[in-house]
Amino acid sequence: MATLFERIIAHELPATIVYQDERVTAFRDIHPRAPVHILIVPAKVIPTANDIADGDEALIGHMFTVARDLAKREGIAADGYRLIMNCNAHGGQEVYHLHLHLLGGKPLGPMVSV
Ligand code: 5GP
């Protein structure tokens, strides 16, 4: 069965897509935690960071260069932003299709609340 994010990538479910190429799709998070909250998702289904293969290195690097370019386009590059990839239960992962969160647009506070 297709993951939720595969269905967004295939335009079967609505989302505000801000960037798409053959390798990644970026769209706005449905519950934004910051003024800018974008998810950068590979077309290849990799469930978690634990499942990243050595052969995925270029793809993972591409996710970061897309995040860099989107940060510039969203006007948050100079002030700064946060990139997060949650993994499994302790990481708070909800959707088991790898994704990079791009968050910014305000001071984000401490990295992890304790
Ligand atoms: P995770 O906790 O897995 O790192 O993050 C999953 C993210 O996906 C959450 O921030 C959540 O708000 C977002 N999300 C879940 N379902 C949808 C959806 O249907 N559309 C969009 N645009 N974002 C979603």
Side-chain angles (χ1 to χ4, degrees), residues 4 27-30 33 39 86 92-95 99 101:
L4 172 67
F27 50 89
R28 296 197 190 278
D29 197 290
I30 202 166
R33 267 74 156 199
L39 303 174
N86 296 320
Q93 186 172 2
E94 292 169 11
V95 179
H99 50 280
H101 295 256

Side-chain angles (χ1 to χ4, degrees), residues 35-72:
V36 174
H37 188 174
I38 292 170
L39 303 174
I40 297 129
V41 185
K44 177 181 178 185
V45 180
I46 301 169
T48 80
N50 288 333
D51 304 301
I52 296 170
D54 292 350
D56 295 325
E57 283 179 357
L59 173 61
I60 302 304
H62 185 54
M63 291 168 69
F64 277 86
T65 53
V66 167
R68 173 204 63 195
D69 291 347
L70 286 171
K72 256 183 238 160

Side-chain angles (χ1 to χ4, degrees), residues 87-108:
C87 180
N88 278 344
H90 283 196
Q93 186 172 2
E94 292 169 11
V95 179
Y96 283 77
H97 181 152
L98 196 76
H99 50 280
L100 188 61
H101 295 256
L102 167 62
L103 294 141
K106 68 172 187 182
L108 294 170

